[in-house]
Amino acid sequence: MNMLKPPSPSDSSREDRIHSNPVRLGARLKLARQTRGLTLKALAQAAECSESLLSKIENGKASPSLPMLHRLVRALDSNIGWMFEETDGEEGVVFRAGTRPLITLDPLRRGEGISLERVIPYSAGHLLQCNIHHIDAGGQSAGPIQHVGEEVGYVLVGEIELMIDDKTFRLSAGDTFVFNSELAHWYRNVGTERASIFWVNTPPTF
């Protein structure tokens, strides 16, 4: 099935615009901070990081870890999806195979070997957020992380371990899961091939 196969870098120019763009991420963070009237010091304290590191992130000279990015957007009363939002005008209804945006987590220094294929491109008008998580063999998410919401997933291919609080679940193709996002969670690929998970959460947080 085509939906199991992530698009290659040559499949879409949109993917190239999203990949590894710390300048864009930094600009979004700075805009959100200034809009809310926060100083660098205030936001750094809220996100539990140094002012110097936050300044580098805002100027595109450094990338935050995924847990740190969660702390930043929580302090800014925003969400990670907005940080990667594409504003291409009219909101779409159908998103063809090979044209969906692909976000790699490697630039964030955490979540090694993981890319997110946007099933629903982020928009402020959506109550749901949906991605296909592609995890290379040996790859794992950053974490554990916690945030408001609920999540559900369907393993399309491969084998993974899903950690929820102090419990570990091993899942393979065809298995599903659901959990409260306020519980600490992370996952990893324990198989020998790339794993893919159809993942839905609400409200949009990434």
Side-chain angles (χ1 to χ4, degrees):
M1 295 175 62
N2 290 336
M3 69 179 295
L4 302 185
K5 183 179 180 181
S8 65
S10 61
D11 284 337
S12 170
S13 60
R14 293 185 71 194
E15 176 189 334
D16 292 336
R17 296 205 305 270
I18 295 177
H19 260 278
S20 306
N21 198 338
V23 174
R24 180 177 182 176
L25 174 60
R28 287 289 176 95
L29 282 169
K30 186 173 184 178
L31 174 62
R33 177 178 63 79
Q34 292 177 335
T35 299
R36 287 157 180 76
L38 294 174
T39 63
L40 266 175
K41 182 177 181 179
L43 181 56
Q45 289 178 340
E48 302 173 19
C49 69
S50 67
E51 287 183 66
S52 61
L53 176 56
L54 181 56
S55 178
K56 289 179 181 178
I57 292 171
E58 287 192 348
N59 288 295
K61 297 179 180 179
S63 294
S65 67
L66 186 54
M68 179 181 173
L69 193 50
H70 269 283
R71 294 196 299 272
L72 284 167
V73 297
R74 187 163 54 242
L76 292 167
D77 193 26
S78 181
N79 62 68
I80 296 177
W82 181 79
M83 299 299 166
F84 295 98
E85 177 183 4
E86 291 206 323
T87 52
D88 292 333
E90 185 177 14
E91 184 174 343
V93 175
V94 175
F95 306 98
R96 302 294 182 184
T99 66
R100 292 184 290 269
L102 190 71
I103 298 173
T104 178
L105 299 189
D106 288 339
L108 303 182
R109 303 201 313 262
R110 297 291 294 275
E112 184 175 358
I114 296 177
S115 56
L116 304 182
E117 182 180 346
R118 292 290 200 201
V119 175
I120 304 175
Y122 178 77
S123 168
H126 289 307
L127 298 178
L128 295 175
Q129 182 169 295
C130 183
N131 300 294
I132 299 176
H133 292 222
H134 299 292
I135 314 106
D136 291 339
Q140 66 179 36
S141 66
I145 59 174
Q146 297 169 271
H147 51 89
V148 174
E150 186 174 33
E151 309 186 35
V152 61
Y154 176 88
V155 181
L156 298 170
V157 65
E159 293 183 78
I160 68 161
E161 278 188 348
L162 176 66
M163 279 63 73
I164 308 294
D165 266 355
D166 58 351
K167 296 181 180 179
T168 298
F169 304 92
R170 192 179 184 102
L171 300 97
S172 56
D175 291 337
T176 60
F177 59 84
V178 62
F179 62 88
N180 186 319
S181 306
E182 293 182 352
L183 299 175
H185 55 279
W186 65 290
Y187 59 86
R188 62 183 178 181
N189 184 345
V190 294
T192 58
E193 62 177 349
R194 169 174 282 198
S196 295
I197 310 169
F198 190 88
W199 201 301
V200 181
N201 61 281
T202 186
T205 56
F206 190 92

